[in-house]
Amino acid sequence: MHLDNPQQLIDWHDKIIAKQKKIKKKILVCCGPGCLANGAQDIIDKFKTVLKEKKISGFTVEALKETGCHGFCEQGPLVVMEPKGLYYTKVKVKDVEDIIEQSIKNDKIIDRLLYNDPQTDKKIERYQDIKFYSHQKKVVLNNLGNINQCNIEDYIANDGYQALSKVITSMSPQKVIDTITKSGLRGRGGAGFPTGRKWATCRKVESDTHYVICNGDEGDPGAFMDRALMEGDPFSVLEGMTIAAFAVGAKQGYIYVREEYPLAVVNLQKAIEIANEKGLLGDNILGTDFSFNIKISRGAGAFVCGESSALMKSVAGEVGEPRAKYVRSVVKGLYDRPTVLNNVETFANVPIIIRKGASWYQKIGTPKNSGTKAFSLVGKVRNTGLIEVAMGTTLREIIYDIGGGIIDDRPFKAVQTGGPSGGCLPASKLDLPVDFDSLNEAGSMMGSGGMIVMDDLTCMVDVAKYFLGFLVNESCGKCVPCREGLYQLHALTVKVSEGKAEEADLEKMEKLSEMVIIGSLCGLGKSGPNPLLSTIKYFRDEYMAHIRDKRCPAGVCRALITYKITDACTGCMACIAPCPTNAITGKKNEMHVIDQELCTKCGACFAVCRYDAILVS
Amino acid sequence: MKHNLDKLSAIFNRYPQNRESLIAVLQDIQKEYHYLPEEALQATAKTLDVPLSKVFSVATFYNAFSHYPRGEKIIRICVGTTCHIRGAHLVQEQLENRLNIKAGSTTKDLKYTLETVNCVGACSQAPVVIVNNKYYGHVKVSDAKKLLRSK
Ligand SMILES: Cc1cc2nc3c(=O)[nH]c(=O)nc-3n(C[C@H](O)[C@H](O)[C@H](O)COP(=O)(O)O)c2cc1C
Ligand code: FES
């Protein structure tokens, strides 16, 4: 059915609601990035076969939903049963028949699949009662985990496309821009530029064509919010882009998706086709004279292509090198035309703001940082997953209340935000409210939303070395300060990690960082030294331990550590075969020894030892 | 190496034949042949009417493109931040030792290719290794052998 006017959308919405009301019970299987990696697809397939074999009255395959990321990846694969919110964790294929037999047919709860709260050691039945969920505020991620990934009926049943309809029927482009400006929405791609202001500038530029581009490059390693949104709620991104196109007067849009996300491409493509078919995208949207088309452009594995001018070159099929920004891309962007570029999450916020109003949105978060922010909470934290909190929530609430603290109750050391452009914040900053400005002030950055928690076994010199190595690889090489400066900074961190640096090298690094920041052409170089500077600022002692004492306190930097076997060794021989250099000798039931000459410190023995008998020092 | 280039025309036909399609075409060629054969680059330049030098510069700029034939089994180790702090480099070293090649290369018998990738968005399962599109999470140093044998 093609929708030829806004009224038909309303009618369709009512029809879908009436139809869905009849579905009393629903099984939601999480197909987010984490659960998929854990075998969610096999679980879906099994559910389908079993449901086909066994006819269950009042329950059809339609009530089985393949949803986007439900959030609690650590506990995946997840299966949720509505309406109660009954929540099963770590589900395996062999549990599927049980779930159908007991929980669907007979409304019984399967105890062994429930989540066990580690603090109280009690089982929890409903996900809403789990601390990981109860401390969050879901706005932009609300559909994920609730609706079928590429199902437009589910999207519409959850008020999808009402915003677009409202914009087309009752708002002028200027009014749309005013609403977004008033909501205080700032770009979720990292820098936090006010979205309304960007749109307003673009609209004012006279041109034969305007473009709208969605940045789905998600280059920060350790971040997967945008992946989860593009895969799990693609229509919200399309609707947001379409509204932006209406506001700035664009007819053509692009979504730039990173190549590591093949499923995002598939789901977005499907969603685009469906939206076109329904008249919610393409020519004469909802029967009006407003037309907008979206094409997908796949990235090819270059971090720098997340940067606006490089991304636009890449969309045009060229080498993704940034250019100087004395003329901004909202004025002269793709094919030298005025172009609005926003992040995936930014666009996904737009329909919600239009639907619920700017003042509603503005009340969430803090005055200068309204709304919520999605994060991927990962690293050495107990509850890893995809979360969303109101801006201004403290790091402590995120890491301890939602994240459940550090794995094995080890001490918290640092949290890394903002990817290679961000920094590491220490325990003294745990009460920092998380928003664009506070993070910048503390020497880090919001970035696109990766939040990587580190414990005392993570070496800050190693982290700085890691990010600089990453950036050396990813620098496009066009400007010297970035290409050579980051290279030298990386070499200096290598020197520190090998215990060969002197105190003067620290100063050298700080000075050189300053030059890289001032001299680089684009954001990659300009923010590249941040991980280094923030670790020197907050963890100077650790640098000094490497430099002065030739010691790596976290036991990570290879040149400075040794592996030793302690008398906890039972002589089980498990470590002997994995050692690639045959450095370990020993007989059954006798303590083993490592030949330090042969040991390459690869950690293979440490990883297999079940008796904590291998000591790193 | 000679290739059956018949499949190229099907790839070209998927896209408008202009500059904007260059990266998408190269991606599809890579998907088909697992790397970019030289003849295919020449055909691309001709069909899309882009100078061969430009095709080469794009093909060499982006990490996703390979210029050498790759192995039957492509093992990609995630070395994103989360995987790194959870020990991805140790896993990488084990695989490199066992295959006797460095990441970014292919064994002589064309059986294995070892590559690294910066985050595949499954960070909650870190460290992650992908073998021919199948994800393995929470990989341990001692899993190297299992990964090599996996399908
Ligand atoms: C090196 C570099 C990499 C970037 N990578 C991304 C990215 O992966 N995703 C993203 O949304 N923005 C990224 N950005 C920011 C974009 O340039 C741009 O500011 C953003 O997409 C604008 O959208 P927003 O206003 O909605 O945040 C990157 C910037 C730089 C300098
Ligand atoms: S860092 Fe490895 S999957 Fe994200």
Side-chain angles (χ1 to χ4, degrees):
Chain A
M1 181 186 54
H2 190 274
L3 305 171
D4 294 320
N5 57 57
Q7 184 57 40
Q8 288 182 353
L9 177 67
I10 299 172
D11 296 343
W12 192 27
H13 169 264
D14 296 346
K15 229 168 144 186
I16 297 168
I17 295 284
K19 192 167 88 183
Q20 298 211 341
K21 264 205 185 123
K22 286 189 202 133
I23 301 175
K24 293 282 182 273
K25 281 185 211 166
K26 276 190 283 188
I27 307 179
L28 310 166
V29 181
C30 175
C31 291
C35 288
L36 272 186
N38 247 332
Q41 193 56 50
D42 297 339
I43 293 174
I44 284 279
D45 294 343
K46 181 76 182 173
F47 264 116
K48 281 186 187 157
T49 21
V50 178
L51 285 174
K52 215 185 257 169
E53 280 165 17
K54 297 188 183 169
K55 292 265 177 302
I56 300 169
S57 68
F59 194 89
T60 57
V61 172
E62 249 180 59
L64 177 70
K65 308 261 177 204
E66 301 171 35
T67 75
C69 182
H70 203 274
F72 205 169
C73 313
E74 182 70 34
Q75 295 291 327
L78 301 171
V79 173
V80 182
M81 261 147 297
E82 297 289 9
K84 271 202 210 132
L86 184 60
Y87 186 70
Y88 288 154
T89 60
K90 302 197 173 167
V91 176
K92 299 197 179 57
V93 172
K94 65 176 171 24
D95 297 321
V96 168
E97 291 205 37
D98 249 13
I99 294 177
I100 292 179
E101 211 43 52
Q102 312 230 9
S103 305
I104 296 293
K105 260 190 180 165
N106 300 317
D107 285 316
K108 276 201 201 122
I109 291 168
I110 305 173
D111 227 43
R112 66 165 198 280
L113 295 176
L114 291 177
Y115 172 73
N116 196 52
D117 186 337
Q119 269 163 357
T120 57
D121 202 25
K122 280 211 178 88
K123 304 252 181 196
I124 300 180
E125 288 172 13
R126 291 160 13 109
Y127 71 86
Q128 297 91 328
D129 302 329
I130 297 172
K131 264 177 120 185
F132 175 83
Y133 289 99
S134 58
H135 282 73
Q136 295 190 45
K137 174 140 188 86
K138 295 237 183 175
V139 173
V140 71
L141 300 182
N142 202 32
N143 275 344
L144 294 181
N146 282 325
I147 68 170
N148 237 341
Q149 292 185 334
C150 290
N151 186 320
I152 196 164
E153 295 202 355
D154 276 10
Y155 183 66
I156 287 177
N158 285 278
D159 300 332
Y161 282 112
Q162 286 188 7
L164 179 64
S165 173
K166 177 171 167 187
V167 161
I168 289 179
T169 51
S170 65
M171 291 171 89
S172 66
Q174 190 55 47
K175 182 106 186 284
V176 175
I177 292 175
D178 291 343
T179 308
I180 297 298
T181 307
K182 192 172 159 232
S183 76
L185 177 66
R186 295 171 66 172
R188 298 303 194 238
F193 191 83
T195 306
R197 211 192 309 159
K198 189 185 274 183
W199 292 11
T201 312
C202 184
R203 178 171 173 73
K204 281 197 203 107
V205 182
E206 296 236 0
S207 170
D208 52 346
T209 316
H210 293 67
Y211 292 108
V212 169
I213 306 182
C214 174
N215 190 343
D217 196 45
E218 195 156 60
D220 295 359
F224 56 88
M225 308 74 46
D226 294 346
R227 172 177 168 184
L229 268 171
M230 290 186 284
E231 288 177 6
D233 196 12
F235 290 107
S236 71
V237 181
L238 302 186
E239 190 182 355
M241 287 178 73
T242 313
I243 293 170
F246 179 85
V248 304
K251 289 196 175 53
Q252 182 63 50
Y254 293 84
I255 308 178
Y256 190 83
V257 189
R258 98 200 225 95
E259 74 112 12
E260 287 83 352
Y261 292 174
L263 187 60
V265 173
V266 172
N267 286 7
L268 283 166
Q269 191 63 50
K270 244 191 247 171
I272 289 174
E273 278 160 27
I274 296 170
N276 270 318
E277 230 168 73
K278 298 292 176 198
L280 293 162
L281 193 63
D283 294 339
N284 304 99
I285 293 175
L286 287 175
T288 63
D289 52 15
F290 167 55
S291 302
F292 179 60
N293 282 289
I294 298 179
K295 263 197 229 173
I296 293 178
S297 180
R298 283 176 292 163
F303 172 72
V304 72
C305 288
E307 193 275 345
S308 50
S309 61
L311 184 147
M312 292 172 198
K313 289 245 179 81
S314 187
V315 168
E318 294 183 43
V319 164
E321 280 176 358
R323 61 164 171 81
K325 297 279 190 37
Y326 40 83
V327 184
R328 281 174 302 140
S329 56
V330 272
V331 179
K332 253 183 162 186
L334 183 63
Y335 301 119
D336 284 340
R337 301 297 193 284
T339 306
V340 159
L341 173 74
N342 278 123
N343 166 265
V344 172
E345 192 184 331
T346 313
F347 280 124
N349 268 298
V350 167
I352 304 171
I353 294 171
I354 298 287
R355 206 169 66 229
K356 301 205 173 181
S359 357
W360 173 86
Y361 192 79
Q362 214 185 8
K363 283 195 199 96
I364 307 170
T366 60
K368 285 195 176 146
N369 291 268
S370 57
T372 58
K373 179 78 194 80
F375 288 100
S376 60
L377 184 62
V378 291
K380 305 284 184 80
V381 66
R382 200 172 263 133
N383 303 337
T384 58
L386 178 70
I387 63 161
E388 181 175 2
V389 290
M391 290 271 191
T393 307
T394 65
L395 284 168
R396 190 184 301 280
E397 286 169 83
I398 296 178
I399 295 165
Y400 285 89
D401 293 339
I402 299 172
I406 310 300
I407 294 179
D408 297 335
D409 284 320
R410 298 199 73 93
F412 166 88
K413 183 166 181 179
V415 56
Q416 210 280 339
T417 62
S421 314
C424 291
L425 300 176
S428 62
K429 295 282 173 194
L430 273 174
D431 291 308
L432 195 75
V434 175
D435 60 47
F436 291 106
D437 308 317
S438 313
L439 286 175
N440 273 349
E441 232 165 81
S444 188
M445 213 180 123
M446 180 77 94
S448 55
M451 195 175 269
I452 300 152
V453 179
M454 300 170 181
D455 63 1
D456 61 332
L457 298 178
T458 318
C459 169
M460 291 300 124
V461 175
D462 181 70
V463 169
K465 184 177 91 177
Y466 165 80
F467 279 118
L468 286 165
F470 174 90
L471 291 169
V472 168
N473 276 335
E474 296 297 335
S475 168
C476 74
K478 182 168 172 177
C479 75
V480 179
C482 173
R483 185 182 69 223
E484 299 302 326
L486 292 175
Y487 182 87
Q488 293 303 337
L489 286 174
H490 179 251
L492 284 165
T493 53
V494 171
K495 208 168 150 195
V496 176
S497 75
E498 291 177 344
K500 292 182 186 153
E502 296 152 28
E503 270 190 69
D505 286 326
L506 270 186
E507 224 173 282
K508 210 189 262 173
M509 288 199 268
E510 285 173 318
K511 274 235 175 82
L512 182 53
S513 294
E514 221 174 283
M515 288 189 253
V516 173
I517 292 170
I518 296 171
S520 293
L521 182 66
C522 85
L524 190 146
K526 281 185 191 303
S527 58
N530 281 353
L532 176 68
L533 291 176
S534 67
T535 48
I536 295 182
K537 180 172 170 191
Y538 295 117
F539 301 92
R540 208 178 180 94
D541 289 352
E542 200 167 343
Y543 278 85
M544 290 314 289
H546 285 75
I547 294 171
R548 220 182 266 158
D549 314 334
K550 315 290 173 210
R551 199 167 59 80
C552 173
V556 173
C557 295
R558 278 204 181 173
L560 306 179
I561 57 169
T562 45
Y563 282 90
K564 278 204 189 96
I565 299 181
T566 66
D567 50 15
C569 174
T570 62
C572 74
M573 303 190 68
C575 59
I576 292 183
C579 178
T581 54
N582 298 325
I584 306 178
T585 46
K587 291 201 185 97
K588 186 120 192 115
N589 300 328
E590 278 175 31
M591 196 174 135
H592 305 341
V593 266
I594 301 177
D595 182 340
Q596 297 299 334
E597 297 273 290
L598 292 176
C599 176
T600 59
K601 296 156 192 172
C602 71
C605 54
F606 185 77
V608 292
C609 182
R610 275 172 292 143
Y611 305 98
D612 286 333
I614 295 173
L615 193 74
V616 194
S617 60
Chain B
M1 206 187 277
K2 277 276 159 257
H3 286 279
N4 174 3
L5 294 181
D6 297 352
K7 289 175 183 146
L8 281 181
S9 57
I11 291 174
F12 294 141
N13 286 336
R14 274 177 220 159
Y15 303 97
Q17 301 196 339
N18 57 30
R19 174 84 203 234
E20 199 179 284
S21 309
L22 178 57
I23 294 173
V25 165
L26 294 180
Q27 274 163 331
D28 287 9
I29 295 175
Q30 163 120 346
K31 198 164 174 204
E32 184 64 48
Y33 300 100
H34 301 294
Y35 83 109
L36 300 177
E38 208 177 303
E39 311 90 299
L41 292 182
Q42 284 159 352
T44 304
K46 212 180 261 167
T47 314
L48 300 187
D49 197 19
V50 178
L52 186 57
S53 62
K54 290 274 177 195
V55 175
F56 262 85
S57 79
V58 167
T60 50
F61 179 83
Y62 293 98
N63 294 333
F65 299 127
S66 170
H67 301 277
Y68 299 98
R70 296 199 295 169
E72 267 164 52
K73 204 181 266 187
I74 298 174
I75 302 179
R76 306 164 83 200
I77 308 155
C78 175
V79 293
T81 321
T82 319
C83 292
H84 175 77
I85 66 166
R86 284 204 174 183
H89 50 298
L90 300 176
V91 176
Q92 178 180 343
E93 187 176 305
Q94 285 291 320
L95 289 167
E96 288 180 339
N97 283 341
R98 280 180 187 274
L99 292 175
N100 211 5
I101 52 171
K102 289 276 166 223
S105 46
T106 299
T107 53
K108 281 216 183 80
D109 58 5
L110 288 181
K111 282 238 156 67
Y112 296 97
T113 296
L114 203 57
E115 292 175 348
T116 58
V117 41
N118 296 318
C119 192
V120 291
C123 322
S124 59
Q125 313 298 317
V128 178
V129 173
I130 303 168
V131 184
N132 286 355
N133 297 328
K134 187 166 165 42
Y135 286 65
Y136 294 85
H138 299 298
V139 172
K140 292 192 282 301
V141 177
S142 49
D143 290 340
K145 210 162 145 191
K146 199 177 79 193
L147 287 170
L148 293 181
R149 267 199 253 128
S150 65
K151 286 237 177 67

